[in-house]
Every structure is written in structure tokens, then in C-alpha cells.
Amino acid sequence: MKSQAAPECQRCTFREHSLFKNCQHDELLEMNENKCFHTYKKGQVIFHEGNRPFGLFCVFDGKVKISRLNSDGKEQIIRLAKSGDTLGYRSLIENTKYTASAVALDDTQACFLPATDFNSLIDTNVKVANDLMKMLAKALGESQERMIHMAMKPVRERLAEALLLLKATYHKTDLSDLFSIAISREDLAAIVGTAKETVIRFLSEFKEEGIVSSHGSTITILKPDRLLKISQLYD
């Protein structure tokens, strides 16, 4: 990834779809003055599980996984983030340690807003505070739904759902369009909540059925409609 100057908050491409869409111009200018802009290499940790938050991260470019270790020491990916997404807000609001780690899935750029600036913003801007509450409620709903799926759905259905989640997160076009993503089988298994070998086996089945193709770590979804039917078998 080529290094570039830090984006200006008031002109940010993703602002209208972010937590800060209802900020006033002077608030954006102040955020822009106080934020830091960081570049992370693929695999680099943005923040660690167990550390205390000192601010808020906003993804400008790249892909990020939010993951934690379960009781067996295995990684579980609980969220995927893209450009315009906000990271670390729950721990910051609760003033608690991070319950998960954020790691760059590819070369990533992100802005960092110090906690004092973020807390001041939500104390003075009611619309941003309301948007934050909606974000927290949505995240809670998605977490509950994921727990239900993990408990109720077989691995094959969860894998189909995970592939569609990757497509929905990182590809904003029609279901009929092809979508490719480079992702390790370990990361895919951590999304599904199963062993890498199991993911490889079911991916091979999907390939035999013409639903996906793969080359190295890159997976291409050929028939998203088939994946959708598989993912909904137990709904």
C-alpha cells in the first residue's frame, strides 16, 4: 500500500456512512486537528485483547478482523470491518479492557481519535450519541444472532453464511456479480467456528458443485444464490 497524507475528516469519503455523519463542520475540523493516521501491514495488530483503550479507530482503507481467543486457545473471529467502520467503541464507552483484538487482514490505514476528544463529542452532540447507541444495539443483535447460528446450524451452512458475510462486507454490488477475496483457511475457520480441516473439506465440496472456485488463498464465489439457499436450510 502506498503511503499517503492523512485524509481530512471534513472531506472523508466514508463520513456520510460512518458514526460521524452528523458532526458539525467545526467538530470535524477539531477531530482532524487532534487525530492520528496510522498504516498497518497485513497481520499487524491494531489493538490487543486485554489492553485498555485510549481512543477510537476509524478504518480508512483495508480489511480488519476483530477476534478473540476461546477457552481452548483457538481464535474466533466475531466481526469483520471495512473502510468507514469504527473499532473499539464498546470498550471505550464502558471504560474496560478490550475483549477482542483487531488485526489487519491486508494492508490497512486507520485514523485514531483520542478518548478525550471522542467523549467530548458524544457529550455535546446528541445526534452522534444517538447514532452510537444504535451502533451498540446493532452490534448486540448481530452478536446474539451469531451465537444462535453457532449453536443451531451445521458447519456446511455456517460456511456458506460466512462466505456471504465476506461478500456483503467487502463487495457492495449485486448478488449476481462475482466476488473474490484472499483469506487464509485459518481465518475462514475462525469465522465459521470450526477446524481448518473441516473448512477445507466443505470448500472442496462447494468447488465440486461449482459454487466457488479457488486459487491459492483466493476464493471466488460463483453462485451466491446457491450459498444463500444452503445458509438458510435451518432458518
Side-chain angles (χ1 to χ4, degrees):
M1 175 183 294
K2 295 180 179 179
S3 60
Q4 64 176 63
E8 295 182 348
C9 293
Q10 60 272 30
R11 296 184 177 88
C12 180
T13 307
F14 310 105
R15 183 169 66 84
E16 291 304 316
H17 305 286
S18 76
L19 175 62
F20 305 106
K21 60 181 178 291
N22 285 312
C23 285
Q24 300 298 314
H25 185 69
D26 59 334
E27 292 171 331
L28 292 171
L29 289 174
E30 185 173 357
M31 285 172 54
N32 191 66
E33 181 70 22
N34 296 332
K35 77 169 192 288
C36 298
F37 187 62
H38 299 289
T39 297
Y40 303 90
K41 294 295 185 182
K42 179 180 178 180
Q44 189 173 352
V45 176
I46 298 172
F47 58 76
H48 281 276
E49 180 178 356
N51 285 359
R52 285 205 168 270
F54 294 100
L56 195 73
F57 294 88
C58 300
V59 181
F60 179 72
D61 187 37
K63 303 179 182 68
V64 178
K65 65 177 179 179
I66 315 300
S67 64
R68 60 188 173 205
L69 298 179
N70 61 26
S71 57
D72 298 326
K74 294 181 179 179
E75 183 185 32
Q76 178 186 14
I77 295 177
I78 56 177
R79 181 189 167 200
L80 297 168
K82 62 184 184 305
S83 300
D85 285 348
T86 309
L87 308 176
Y89 55 88
R90 188 174 67 82
S91 297
L92 188 59
I93 291 298
E94 294 179 341
N95 193 27
T96 58
K97 295 178 180 179
Y98 290 121
T99 57
S101 299
V103 181
L105 282 172
D106 56 13
D107 289 351
T108 297
Q109 294 174 325
C111 296
F112 175 80
L113 182 66
T116 51
D117 296 274
F118 178 66
N119 291 332
S120 176
L121 176 64
I122 61 175
D123 284 343
T124 56
N125 190 316
V126 175
K127 289 185 177 180
V128 175
N130 285 337
D131 288 338
L132 177 62
M133 286 191 292
K134 291 176 183 177
M135 185 181 292
L136 288 165
K138 182 181 178 183
L140 177 60
E142 290 174 347
S143 176
Q144 291 175 335
E145 185 176 359
R146 176 177 173 81
M147 289 177 63
I148 293 172
H149 287 184
M150 291 284 285
M152 302 292 293
K153 286 190 174 185
V155 174
R156 178 180 165 89
E157 283 71 14
R158 298 205 310 266
L159 176 57
E161 195 170 61
L163 292 171
L164 290 174
L165 173 63
L166 287 166
K167 186 180 191 323
T169 303
Y170 298 119
H171 191 62
K172 296 299 182 182
T173 56
D174 216 52
L175 266 177
S176 61
D177 291 340
L178 294 182
F179 166 70
S180 297
I181 187 170
I183 184 169
S184 71
R185 301 305 179 259
E186 289 85 358
D187 280 339
L188 190 53
I191 297 173
V192 176
T194 190
K196 179 181 73 171
E197 294 75 16
T198 305
V199 160
I200 292 172
R201 177 162 58 86
F202 282 117
L203 270 180
S204 295
E205 290 185 8
F206 288 169
K207 287 171 65 176
E208 290 174 2
E209 296 170 33
I211 298 173
V212 303
S213 65
S214 65
H215 181 72
S217 65
T218 300
I219 298 172
T220 300
I221 297 176
L222 303 174
K223 297 179 180 178
D225 54 332
R226 289 283 304 281
L227 286 178
L228 185 60
K229 288 181 180 179
I230 293 170
S231 71
Q232 294 177 340
L233 284 175
Y234 285 79
D235 286 353

